[in-house]
Amino acid sequence: MAAIAEAFRDGGIWMYSILLVSVVALGVTLERFFFLFFKYNMNAQAFMAQIQKLVMADNVDRAIKLCNAAPSRVVPHVIKAGLTRANKGEVEIQNAMEEATLEIVPKVQKRTQALLTIANVATLMGLLGTIVGLIEAFEALETATPENRQRMLSRGIAMAMNTTAFGLIVAIPTMVAHLLLSGVTKKILDDVDMYSVKLENLLVTRGKGGPVE
């Protein structure tokens, strides 16, 4: 712990800047993790199987109530839009679900992409601290008195190395978090696309009085 405190002190003001970036990265990661894993995501396959059974049984009202039971989930939000137009034409069903999809997509994608930018900022701040530290080190070689030269040289190199390390320590986990959250985001949106098309086909077939598979 003492070594970490010393490294932080040697890094100078750049360490505080990178620390601020790390707090932002952690906040965005936790917020996105909560929403994507616990509010928006669900077992869409099992949910859609229930919806299909209810539609096949001509019990659309119960299917809508099933969607209402999970108001924060993304797939039920879009499926409900189609079910409320179940007795309308194909175009109205499609338009309703497209509108619901356009409403929900920005919420699902919000701030996840920003993690890449935050990681880059942390890396660049570490690099800037490195450059400033090396400038101080070279200035020490040129201007410092012999008795102070070694101390100033060590301080400049310490700043350079510590800011680089801290910038990477923040950037790498942030990029990993972005990779993980992007995967979950894609899975949710893929579920929306797939099951909205399946429901559309289901309702259109039902409306034409054909066999529902």
Side-chain angles (χ1 to χ4, degrees):
M1 198 68 181
I4 295 175
E6 183 179 354
F8 197 88
R9 184 177 62 253
D10 290 342
I13 190 173
W14 303 106
M15 300 293 272
Y16 293 95
S17 301
I18 299 170
L19 179 63
L20 178 61
V21 173
S22 73
V23 172
V24 174
L26 181 61
V28 172
T29 300
L30 292 177
E31 185 265 349
R32 287 289 84 196
F33 185 88
F34 172 75
F35 276 93
L36 292 175
F37 280 89
F38 297 106
K39 291 206 70 176
Y40 295 153
N41 201 9
M42 71 180 308
N43 187 340
Q45 183 177 4
F47 170 79
M48 198 60 197
Q50 293 179 285
I51 293 293
Q52 183 174 0
K53 288 179 182 179
L54 291 171
V55 172
M56 289 172 64
D58 202 26
N59 203 339
V60 175
D61 288 340
R62 281 197 63 189
I64 293 175
K65 288 180 180 179
L66 184 62
C67 293
N68 289 334
S72 66
R73 310 293 178 179
V74 172
V75 172
H77 175 80
V78 176
I79 295 302
K80 178 184 173 182
L83 291 172
T84 56
R85 304 293 196 282
N87 298 319
K88 305 292 184 180
E90 179 180 353
V91 174
E92 287 196 43
I93 295 171
Q94 184 179 20
N95 288 342
M97 287 194 291
E98 285 182 357
E99 182 180 344
T101 301
L102 290 175
E103 289 175 359
I104 206 70
V105 165
K107 295 180 181 179
V108 177
Q109 294 179 331
K110 184 170 60 176
R111 283 189 285 274
T112 299
Q113 196 63 28
L115 287 171
L116 269 185
T117 302
I118 293 171
N120 287 332
V121 169
T123 303
L124 292 174
M125 282 187 170
L127 179 60
L128 184 58
T130 301
I131 293 172
V132 172
L134 291 176
I135 289 173
E136 288 189 6
F138 285 121
E139 284 181 349
L141 290 176
E142 291 183 359
T143 62
T145 59
E147 57 271 15
N148 291 328
R149 185 173 299 160
Q150 185 63 39
R151 178 178 58 82
M152 294 180 65
L153 183 62
S154 297
R155 187 175 66 185
I157 293 174
M159 176 185 290
M161 296 299 102
N162 287 322
T163 52
T164 299
F166 192 35
L168 293 176
I169 287 170
V170 174
I172 292 171
T174 303
M175 294 181 74
V176 172
H178 171 266
L179 181 64
L180 174 64
L181 295 173
S182 293
V184 178
T185 299
K186 185 178 184 302
K187 182 260 182 189
I188 292 173
L189 296 181
D190 285 347
D191 283 346
V192 168
D193 290 340
M194 180 171 63
Y195 292 116
S196 60
V197 171
K198 286 192 173 186
L199 179 69
E200 181 184 343
N201 293 335
L202 190 66
L203 293 177
V204 169
T205 303
R206 169 183 172 272
K208 292 179 179 178
V212 180
E213 298 181 358

